[in-house]
C-alpha cells in the first residue's frame, strides 16, 4: 500500500449526521408504502425483489439484525441449502452456483451464504427498503378488519424490563401486508386473535402444546417443533406451500412457512425451493391486488396451480 496517504478529513459528528440524514429520509419515504413485508427470510426477500423490480414501493421489516433467516445455514448446522427442480431457476436468476445432488436427480445443492447473500443483494439492488432490528407487534386495521399496515418497535425494546421502560411503538401504512414471518405467522395470528380469520394451523396450535415447551427466555428452538403445521413430508409440503400462497385476508398475503402454519400444511425441512417460489407467487398476488400493469412474475413451477380455498 505504498500509494496510500490518508483517509479523508471527516470527523465524528459528520459521520453521525450522514447516517441520520440518510436513514431519516429513507424511512420517511417508506412510512406509507405500497407493500410491507414482515420477515426478511427467503420468501420475503424474493417477494421484495420481484415487487421492487416492477416499481412497487416495498419495505421489509425484519426483527433480527441480519436478513435471510434459515437460508444462511440449511439444516443441522451444515451450511448447504437444497432446492428441488424447478426452483434452481431462481438460483440462476441470482447468479448463484449450485450442483446437482450426487444421488438424486432434480435435487440441487448450493452454499447457504452465497445463496442468501445473493438474494439479499438482489432485493436491495431492486430498491426494497430494509428495516432490520425492528419487531412486528400488531397490525393496523381499517373497515371490516382490512389490514392497512403494521405496528412496530425496535427489537431491543422487547427485551427491556417493563418496570424501567415504556416505549410506545409506531405504525406504518401500506396498501398490502405480506406475512413472511415463518413458523410464527405473526400477522395472521393477530387476525386470528380478533376472530376474523379462519386459520386451521393456528387453531390447531391452541389445542396442541407440541414438543417445544421452551419459553422465550429459555434455551431451545421455539417454533421449530411447535404445532400449527403437519409433520414433515417434503414431497407434499413444498407444492402445498406454493399452492396456498396468496391472499389470506383483505389486505394480507401469506408466503413461505407462514403459509404452512396458516393452513396446517406439512413441513419440508431444510429445502428452500418452496420458499423461493412462494415468494414469487406472493409478489404476483400483490400485483394482482394492486392492479399494477407490469410484467407478471414467472413462478417457474408450471405444474403448480392456485389452491381452491
Amino acid at each position: 500500500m505504498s500509494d496510500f496517504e490518508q483517509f479523508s478529513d471527516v470527523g465524528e459528528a459528520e459521520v453521525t449526521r450522514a447516517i441520520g440524514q440518510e436513514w431519516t429520509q429513507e424511512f420517511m419515504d417508506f412510512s406509507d408504502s405500497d407493500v410491507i413485508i414482515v420477515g426478511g427470510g427467503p420468501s420475503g426477500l424474493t417477494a421484495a425483489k420481484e415487487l421492487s423490480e416492477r416499481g412497487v414501493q416495498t419495505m421489509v421489516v425484519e426483527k433480527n439484525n441480519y436478513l435471510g433467516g434459515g437460508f444462511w445455514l440449511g439444516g443441522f448446522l451444515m451450511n448447504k441449502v437444497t432446492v428441488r427442480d424447478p426452483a434452481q431457476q431462481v438460483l440462476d436468476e441470482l447468479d448463484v452456483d449450485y450442483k446437482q445432488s450426487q444421488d438424486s436427480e432434480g435435487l440441487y445443492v448450493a452454499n447457504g451464504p452465497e445463496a442468501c447473500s445473493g438474494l439479499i443483494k438482489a432485493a436491495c439492488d431492486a430498491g426494497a427498503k430494509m428495516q432490520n432490528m425492528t419487531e412486528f407487534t400488531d397490525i393496523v386495521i381499517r373497515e371490516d378488519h382490512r389490514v392497512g399496515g403494521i405496528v412496530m418497535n425496535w427489537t431491543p425494546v422487547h427485551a427491556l424490563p417493563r418496570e424501567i421502560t415504556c416505549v410506545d411503538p409506531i405504525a406504518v401504512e401500506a396498501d398490502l401486508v405480506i406475512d413472511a414471518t415463518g413458523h410464527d405467522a405473526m400477522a395472521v395470528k393477530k387476525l386470528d386473535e380478533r376472530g376474523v380469520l379462519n386459520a386451521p394451523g393456528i387453531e390447531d396450535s391452541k389445542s396442541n402444546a407440541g414438543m417445544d415447551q421452551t419459553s422465550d427466555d429459555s434455551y431451545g428452538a421455539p417454533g421449530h417443533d411447535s404445532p400449527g403445521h403437519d409433520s414433515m413430508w417434503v414431497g407434499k409440503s413444498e407444492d402445498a406451500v406454493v399452492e396456498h400462497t396468496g391472499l389470506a385476508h383483505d389486505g394480507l398475503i401469506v408466503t413461505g412457512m407462514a403459509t404452512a402454519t396458516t393452513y396446517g400444511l406439512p413441513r419440508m425441512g431444510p429445502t428452500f425451493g418452496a420458499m423461493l417460489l412462494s415468494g414469487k407467487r406472493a409478489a404476483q398476488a400483490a400485483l394482482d391486488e394492486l392492479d399494477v400493469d407490469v410484467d407478471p412474475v414467472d413462478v417457474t413451477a408450471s405444474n403448480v396451480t392456485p389452491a381452491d380455498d
Side-chain angles (χ1 to χ4, degrees), residues 172-193:
V172 288
E173 296 184 29
D175 295 324
L176 283 172
V177 172
I178 297 179
D179 189 338
T181 59
H183 297 268
D184 293 329
M186 295 299 296
V188 172
K189 282 182 178 177
K190 288 298 180 181
L191 288 172
D192 179 77
E193 289 172 6

Side-chain angles (χ1 to χ4, degrees), residues 152-289:
M152 64 188 194
N153 212 332
W154 298 116
T155 300
V157 170
H158 186 85
L160 294 174
R162 170 67 69 174
E163 61 269 18
I164 68 169
T165 185
C166 181
V167 181
D168 282 337
I170 61 171
V172 288
E173 296 184 29
D175 295 324
L176 283 172
V177 172
I178 297 179
D179 189 338
T181 59
H183 297 268
D184 293 329
M186 295 299 296
V188 172
K189 282 182 178 177
K190 288 298 180 181
L191 288 172
D192 179 77
E193 289 172 6
R194 290 163 173 78
V196 298
L197 176 66
N198 179 24
I202 292 175
E203 288 300 315
D204 175 70
S205 70
K206 295 176 182 178
S207 59
N208 180 4
M211 295 169 59
D212 182 10
Q213 299 294 313
T214 55
S215 60
D216 290 341
D217 58 352
S218 300
Y219 176 80
H224 288 272
D225 291 318
S226 65
H229 34 72
D230 207 345
S231 299
M232 191 176 295
W233 186 1
V234 67
K236 180 77 171 179
S237 58
E238 290 207 284
D239 290 329
V241 163
V242 179
E243 288 168 6
H244 286 77
T245 295
L247 195 70
H249 182 79
D250 196 14
L252 180 67
I253 290 169
V254 291
T255 187
M257 286 309 299
T259 310
T261 298
T262 299
Y263 296 105
L265 307 177
R267 298 172 57 183
M268 74 283 299
T271 187
F272 290 85
M275 301 300 97
L276 301 175
L277 298 191
S278 177
K280 281 179 169 278
R281 172 152 287 192
Q284 183 58 53
L287 294 175
D288 292 341
E289 287 297 310

Side-chain angles (χ1 to χ4, degrees), residues 41-57:
S43 62
L45 289 172
T46 301
K49 168 187 174 294
E50 297 292 343
L51 289 170
S52 298
E53 285 178 344
R54 289 162 175 79
V56 177
Q57 188 180 40

Side-chain angles (χ1 to χ4, degrees), residues 108-152:
Y108 301 90
V109 186
N111 287 321
E114 180 188 0
C116 192
S117 59
L119 179 55
I120 293 170
K121 185 177 189 306
C124 290
D125 287 349
K129 158 70 174 171
M130 301 299 169
Q131 182 60 41
N132 51 335
M133 210 62 179
T134 303
E135 188 173 42
F136 166 90
T137 64
D138 204 351
I139 52 173
V140 172
I141 59 169
R142 296 292 182 251
E143 291 79 8
D144 298 322
H145 284 90
R146 185 190 191 281
V147 176
I150 69 167
V151 183
M152 64 188 194

